[in-house]
Amino acid sequence: MASLRIHLLILATLPLVGPSAVCAQTGVDDLLDDLLPRATDSGWVTEWKGFVELLPRRYLRDRGSEGRTDNQLIVLGEAELDFRLGGEVTGYFRPRLYADLGTEGFERLYVPELFLTYSPGRWDLRGGVLVENWGIADTFNPIDFLNPRDFATKILDPLKLGQPGVRLRRLFEGGHHFGEPTLTLYWMPTFERTRYAPRGQRFHPAPVGFSFTETGIDPRGSDRTLWALRYQSTLDTPLFNSDIQLLASRGPDRSPPIHLIADGILAPVYQDVQTTGFGLRAVPNEARLGHFLSTFTLKAEVAHRSFARYGHSPFEESDDYWTCVVGFDRQLPNLLSDRDLLTLTLEYVSESGADDAPSSQRVFQQDLIFRALWQANNFSRSTVQLRGVVDPQDDETILEASFTTQLRAVSEDLRLELRYQRFEHEGEAGTFLSRFSDNSSVSIGLRWDFAN
């Protein structure tokens, strides 16, 4: 761990030394040339890129409590390599490191994606460690359930963990209304646990007086396998042009409820879950519905989840439930200049059918989500974003404001991010946010991008 911490410290300084090194003939770029092959020099690496981000975060409430982290120094780094092995075989490799230099022992170095793809024609076969992105909505995606998450990273947008498996995809001929119909089968034979924040961090699952272990009631034998089937295509009608997808899966739950498994010990309790879902993104046809409606993008995700307990589990299965999110994006160009763009998002999340203890652990149940994203589209690529999640039923609110810009005066590869998050809870205890309502924070991040 000591050597890993040294490497993390070196990576953490790259955004700070990068600008001066870029200006020199022998700097960070030369160092990267030794670590990563240039595409022009390698016969099989076609492209590589990545980033290193240094993110200090300061929590604003309940500071000084024993055993709780008041300040964090997050280091996040990723590299991406695309390579070709000849003919119809390509590959992809994306290692990641995530660490809190202010928390002893919290360093994670792993590979969320590493796979080979064989593409002979209208079908392809991919095998390795996979990450799939199925979501359509902005903040909550009930149909995006293939990969487990790392809840130690972000609470609203947790990073996805890679899932070993095989993907077989077939592209069919489209028709008059349905374009590019694609059918995809997933087979995930291994079980990957969801990750959680360690003791001392603000989003650690166990309250004071309890301990937590990520090894809880896990699936065994064939129960560790997940199967999934996905259909996607375009749908063109006189009124709307749409992207649609249908999904079905069965396997271990990716967001397990947390139970008291022994005296003073909390742990995730995994279950077998069957999930069916539907996703839609639609744009009104300007010729039929006019210019005003054509500036909207309509979005919907619907999923049904049905649970079954494993034979060795002493806990009852969770209640089955439906969850959906519906909403729209509206784009408003040229507000302050001839290049800027404002995107307004409004979504509503609803859940029905479950009234058990695990349902209170889910972040989104009856929520209104709004977002305003302003993009300057200038040379500095400046953006301002405001986002809010409001649960009127439980009097819970999450507000987030962020500003990003490139520090072009220093380096075109250096980006600054300022972020503020506010958590408020005024209802009864027992909901998700009631456990973490003291986690309002402010952060200042520096991100340095590199590429061949």
Side-chain angles (χ1 to χ4, degrees):
M1 284 299 180
S3 61
L4 178 57
R5 182 172 291 271
I6 292 173
H7 284 87
L8 291 171
L9 288 169
I10 293 173
L11 285 169
T13 62
L14 286 178
L16 304 179
V17 303
S20 60
V22 169
C23 298
Q25 293 298 320
T26 57
V28 175
D29 284 344
D30 295 329
L31 174 62
L32 289 172
D33 287 344
D34 296 333
L35 298 176
L36 298 172
R38 284 191 177 276
T40 55
D41 298 333
S42 173
W44 53 276
V45 176
T46 59
E47 182 181 4
W48 60 259
K49 61 182 179 179
F51 69 89
V52 178
E53 183 175 5
L54 182 67
L55 182 71
R57 178 183 292 130
R58 180 180 179 87
Y59 291 97
L60 305 176
R61 296 176 177 171
D62 294 344
R63 295 178 56 81
S65 300
E66 184 178 355
R68 293 165 58 89
T69 300
D70 292 329
N71 303 301
Q72 292 180 289
L73 183 57
I74 302 297
V75 175
L76 173 62
E78 288 190 4
E80 298 180 59
L81 280 81
D82 293 282
F83 51 92
R84 181 173 295 277
L85 300 181
E88 296 156 335
V89 179
T90 60
Y92 180 76
F93 174 47
R94 180 165 67 98
R96 172 192 295 161
L97 68 87
Y98 185 94
D100 180 5
L101 301 184
T103 301
E104 183 66 31
F106 183 37
E107 296 120 358
R108 293 179 180 171
L109 181 60
Y110 57 99
V111 179
E113 290 187 273
L114 173 61
F115 55 78
L116 296 178
T117 305
Y118 174 58
S119 305
R122 300 190 64 84
W123 63 275
D124 63 64
L125 178 65
R126 174 173 294 178
V129 184
L130 310 178
V131 170
E132 295 286 314
N133 298 297
W134 296 345
I136 294 173
D138 179 68
T139 302
F140 174 56
N141 303 110
I143 65 172
D144 195 8
F145 49 76
L146 186 71
N147 293 96
R149 266 63 168 183
D150 187 348
F151 290 106
T153 56
K154 304 175 184 178
I155 200 62
L156 286 182
D157 309 293
L159 296 177
K160 292 183 178 181
L161 300 171
Q163 180 67 41
V166 176
R167 188 193 78 179
L168 178 62
R169 185 171 61 180
R170 177 69 163 89
L171 178 65
F172 297 90
E173 292 286 348
H176 181 66
H177 294 291
F178 292 90
E180 300 180 349
T182 305
L183 192 63
T184 311
L185 176 67
Y186 297 86
W187 175 58
M188 308 295 187
T190 66
F191 167 68
E192 298 295 323
R193 292 188 180 92
T194 299
R195 304 301 305 271
Y196 299 89
R199 169 67 68 182
Q201 289 204 359
R202 292 296 187 109
F203 288 101
H204 182 66
V208 176
F210 291 82
S211 62
F212 175 81
T213 174
E214 292 183 353
T215 305
I217 306 299
D218 296 347
R220 300 173 181 173
S222 60
D223 290 333
R224 299 164 61 90
T225 300
L226 182 142
W227 294 88
L229 186 66
R230 181 190 187 206
Y231 169 84
Q232 59 187 128
S233 72
T234 61
L235 173 61
D236 296 327
T237 67
L239 298 181
F240 295 93
N241 299 318
S242 309
D243 296 318
I244 61 173
Q245 52 182 315
L246 300 170
L247 305 110
S249 78
R250 180 172 183 175
D253 191 4
R254 299 314 196 208
S255 300
I258 295 174
H259 286 277
L260 188 68
I261 63 170
D263 188 20
I265 302 176
L266 296 169
V269 174
Y270 290 89
Q271 307 167 88
D272 181 78
V273 57
Q274 295 185 48
T275 304
T276 55
F278 168 75
L280 170 71
R281 179 189 288 109
V283 177
N285 192 324
E286 183 176 2
R288 291 294 186 93
L289 299 178
H291 173 73
F292 175 74
L293 289 179
S294 70
T295 62
F296 288 82
T297 299
L298 310 179
K299 301 176 292 182
E301 297 184 33
V302 181
H304 179 262
R305 296 167 64 82
S306 176
F307 299 91
R309 62 181 291 273
Y310 296 124
H312 61 281
S313 174
F315 300 93
E316 294 183 358
E317 63 267 15
S318 300
D319 290 347
D320 301 348
Y321 67 94
W322 287 90
T323 179
C324 71
V325 54
V326 294
F328 65 85
D329 292 338
R330 169 78 195 284
Q331 292 190 339
L332 301 172
N334 307 328
L335 289 181
L336 303 178
S337 71
D338 58 355
R339 295 187 302 270
D340 71 340
L341 176 66
L342 176 65
T343 302
L344 301 176
T345 299
L346 184 64
E347 297 172 348
Y348 178 69
V349 178
S350 178
E351 180 183 303
S352 61
D355 191 25
D356 54 355
S359 66
S360 67
Q361 300 181 26
R362 292 191 281 270
V363 183
F364 302 98
Q365 292 181 294
Q366 306 292 333
D367 298 277
L368 188 65
I369 301 171
F370 62 88
R371 185 186 70 148
L373 173 63
W374 179 76
Q375 299 167 286
N377 290 320
N378 54 9
F379 288 110
S380 297
R381 300 179 184 176
S382 302
T383 66
V384 176
Q385 178 175 266
L386 301 175
R387 179 166 59 167
V389 180
V390 179
D391 184 346
Q393 179 175 300
D394 294 314
D395 293 326
E396 296 179 343
T397 303
I398 303 175
L399 299 176
E400 182 180 67
S402 65
F403 167 75
T404 64
T405 188
Q406 285 182 300
L407 302 179
R408 291 180 57 88
V410 183
S411 170
E412 294 184 357
D413 299 321
L414 190 63
R415 189 175 71 182
L416 171 70
E417 179 188 75
L418 308 176
R419 185 178 299 272
Y420 170 73
Q421 283 189 329
R422 183 180 181 89
F423 293 79
E424 294 288 349
H425 171 77
E426 299 179 0
E428 298 181 358
T431 64
F432 172 83
L433 202 56
S434 67
R435 302 175 177 89
F436 305 110
S437 58
D438 59 349
N439 287 339
S440 297
S441 66
V442 61
S443 60
I444 303 174
L446 283 176
R447 169 169 165 155
W448 178 60
D449 295 286
F450 56 86
N452 63 316

